[in-house]
Amino acid sequence: MEINDIYQLFLQCPRITTDSRNCSQNSIFVALRGDNFDGNAFAAAALANGSAYAIVDNPDYYDATDKRMVLVDDCLDTLQRLANHHRRVLGIKILAITGTNGKTTTKELIATVLSEVHNVLYTQGNLNNHIGVPLTLLQMTNRHNLAVVEMGASHPGEIAKLADIVEPNFGLITNIGKAHLEGFGSFEGVKRTKGELFDYLRTKEDGTAFVNNENKCIDEMADGLLKIRYGTADGLYVNGSIVSCDPFLSFRWKAGKNGEYTEVKTKLIGSYNFENAMAAVAVGRFFGVDAKHIKMALESYSPSNNRSQFRRTAANRLIIDAYNANPTSMSAAIANFKKLNGENKTLILGDMRELGVESAAEHQKVIEMLVEYGFTDVILIGTQFAETDNRFKCFPNVVAFANYLKSNPLVDRTILIKGSNAVHLERVIDLL
């Protein structure tokens, strides 16, 4: 069946599912394969559970007598081509966002601002990979007039592939840092892969990049594109400065040289979120959102999912940034924590994953930073930190630390919680 024929089925049943347990009436089930499963085996169950059609690529599970089954060469490829076809049919302007750190928060802030005056489709959660991106595109309807799509990658070529699917009109790279080094091989590998977004935009006549003026690396990467610059220097498209960050970020911004300042008091923790918020200001203004509505949107946004959150418990004050960690974000979080006013500062840090051969050296650099800043109350969780040369409390995993807390509670502390998601530091939050 040609992709246009499958698209006609999609127009009749415009909901795609890849989970046979979640099949609404008139949905289309796409049988994806993973390392440990074959979605084809659940195609019949998906039809029984409500799907109108099931797309499969394993002939062993294809029933030619059942007109509800569609056999293709590759289900993932079909999903991606279907999404691209839908994107082309609707022709909606799309902003694609990638970067090492802050892309999900930046995407959320931008979507919040744009939603003040636009009907915006945007990536839910962090569904930013080769499956999540096409599923996002297939949620677009003719009621939307803008889309914001987040793109993640852990290996070279992945952003290029996603850009070919999305065909964005605009691009934003939040930053370039040390993450997924195991997959990228080096910092240069990270830079080349993130830069694939701008490489794609250079193939379009009107390719446009939103660029943090303070990040010279990204500025150079965007050469050849129309640049919408934001940052601290006067005269940029939008420029601003931090007013305070103790603990919540407040900043002010204005447009160009002669604009009037607008102060924004966010619910975000960390000075590193200033550039994320400024990106949202730049994108919002570019798409016609006025200063009043930009302020309202940014001040109403509350972070979630253990990203830049502040929580006051009965016993402690928590700064929770435990969704993910890499050397760049870890250093920024520690530096910000150093500047904060707070009594009895304590750091609970988990391993940074997927750093490959650089892991030992990067974890040791974190230890050196902690010593340089004079921190003494530090708790390290994970095998990578345990192998460093340090003088702090170490636990092999979060279970061991949780057991320790039951008899040694932390009380009246200001606590930074930071680590890779796989360490599961969120499991100790209720014990603090």
Side-chain angles (χ1 to χ4, degrees):
M1 185 176 284
E2 297 296 325
I3 200 67
N4 192 57
D5 296 320
I6 295 176
Y7 189 62
Q8 295 307 309
L9 298 180
F10 172 72
L11 292 179
Q12 300 171 34
C13 309
R15 185 177 185 279
I16 300 294
T17 180
T18 60
D19 187 344
S20 63
R21 299 164 299 181
N22 184 23
C23 296
S24 63
Q25 293 296 316
N26 292 324
S27 63
I28 298 177
F29 173 74
V30 181
L32 300 181
R33 305 189 197 209
D35 293 335
N36 302 309
F37 68 91
D38 183 353
N40 288 272
F42 303 97
L47 293 171
N49 289 339
S51 287
Y53 297 96
I55 299 176
V56 298
D57 58 10
N58 186 337
D60 292 342
Y61 296 98
Y62 173 61
D63 182 357
T65 66
D66 190 338
K67 300 304 182 183
R68 299 174 300 169
M69 281 199 172
V70 178
L71 180 64
V72 299
D73 292 332
D74 186 307
C75 282
L76 177 59
D77 179 65
T78 297
L79 176 69
Q80 294 171 341
R81 289 192 296 123
L82 180 64
N84 175 254
H85 186 81
H86 183 55
R87 183 266 180 277
R88 289 186 173 189
V89 169
L90 292 182
I92 293 170
K93 297 291 186 182
I94 297 179
L95 166 65
I97 300 175
T98 191
T100 301
N101 303 305
K103 54 184 175 291
T104 298
T105 297
T106 302
K107 175 260 300 181
E108 296 280 339
L109 293 173
I110 288 174
T112 301
V113 168
L114 292 178
S115 294
E116 288 289 316
V117 297
H118 295 282
N119 193 338
V120 184
L121 174 88
Y122 61 98
T123 303
Q124 297 300 303
N126 67 330
L127 295 176
N128 59 18
N129 64 5
H130 60 297
I131 298 171
V133 166
L135 288 175
T136 295
L137 293 179
L138 288 167
Q139 293 176 28
M140 286 193 302
T141 72
N142 55 17
R143 294 188 301 275
H144 296 112
N145 65 320
L146 282 174
V148 182
V149 178
E150 180 182 338
M151 296 179 176
S154 56
H155 293 86
E158 290 182 342
I159 295 298
K161 174 66 175 177
L162 294 177
D164 285 340
I165 297 169
V166 174
E167 298 188 7
N169 310 90
F170 308 90
L172 190 154
I173 300 176
T174 56
N175 49 49
I176 307 293
K178 295 179 178 180
H180 301 295
L181 296 181
E182 196 170 36
F184 290 123
S186 66
F187 174 79
E188 284 301 317
V190 177
K191 180 179 176 181
R192 284 193 299 272
T193 301
K194 302 301 183 183
E196 290 166 0
L197 173 56
F198 289 168
D199 291 341
Y200 173 82
L201 289 176
R202 271 186 281 270
T203 68
K204 303 178 73 69
E205 288 186 10
D206 57 350
T208 303
F210 293 90
V211 177
N212 179 359
N213 191 63
E214 271 70 61
N215 195 316
K216 300 308 177 186
C217 174
I218 293 177
D219 190 20
E220 291 175 1
M221 291 166 64
D223 284 348
L225 298 172
L226 173 63
K227 298 178 184 179
I228 308 299
R229 288 190 171 94
Y230 57 92
T232 60
D234 201 23
L236 298 175
Y237 186 73
V238 294
N239 61 88
S241 59
I242 294 175
V243 175
S244 65
C245 197
D246 199 13
F248 298 112
L249 168 69
S250 292
F251 70 100
R252 63 177 191 164
W253 68 273
K254 66 184 178 74
K257 283 184 175 294
N258 301 317
E260 295 183 358
Y261 278 111
T262 298
E263 185 168 335
V264 179
K265 298 178 180 179
T266 78
K267 299 182 181 71
L268 295 163
I269 295 289
S271 57
Y272 46 83
N273 274 307
F274 170 65
E275 59 192 46
N276 301 333
M278 284 298 293
V281 171
V283 173
R285 181 170 179 268
F286 183 85
F287 286 105
V289 186
D290 63 28
K292 181 180 76 170
H293 286 91
I294 290 174
K295 174 182 172 69
M296 287 171 52
L298 293 179
E299 291 189 340
S300 68
Y301 175 77
S302 294
S304 60
N305 204 16
N306 300 320
R307 287 184 172 95
S308 302
Q309 289 179 264
F310 177 81
R311 183 182 300 179
R312 188 182 296 275
T313 69
N316 299 290
R317 299 160 298 281
L318 309 181
I319 296 171
I320 307 167
D321 197 5
Y323 184 83
N324 220 334
N326 55 60
T328 306
S329 65
M330 182 70 82
S331 296
I334 294 172
N336 183 76
F337 193 58
K338 172 67 175 176
K339 297 175 186 176
L340 289 183
N341 290 320
E343 297 179 354
N344 303 320
K345 288 185 179 180
T346 301
L347 299 92
I348 300 173
L349 307 180
D351 281 353
M352 303 174 290
R353 299 292 178 87
E354 299 182 45
L355 296 180
V357 296
E358 301 293 328
S359 186
E362 293 297 340
H363 281 83
Q364 191 61 50
K365 287 179 184 177
V366 173
I367 300 300
E368 293 167 2
M369 185 179 190
L370 294 168
V371 173
E372 177 186 350
Y373 282 176
F375 287 119
T376 56
D377 293 331
V378 179
I379 296 164
L380 304 173
I381 301 174
T383 57
Q384 294 297 310
F385 270 128
E387 293 175 0
T388 60
D389 179 12
N390 75 83
R391 62 193 185 199
F392 305 120
K393 288 187 179 73
C394 293
F395 297 87
N397 52 55
V398 75
V399 174
F401 178 51
N403 289 333
Y404 170 83
L405 281 177
K406 291 173 183 177
S407 55
N408 299 273
L410 297 178
V411 179
D412 196 27
R413 309 284 185 97
T414 302
I415 304 174
L416 170 65
I417 305 171
K418 178 72 176 175
S420 284
N421 194 36
V423 182
H424 297 296
L425 292 182
E426 75 279 358
R427 296 178 182 175
V428 300
I429 291 173
D430 290 341
L431 299 177
L432 299 170

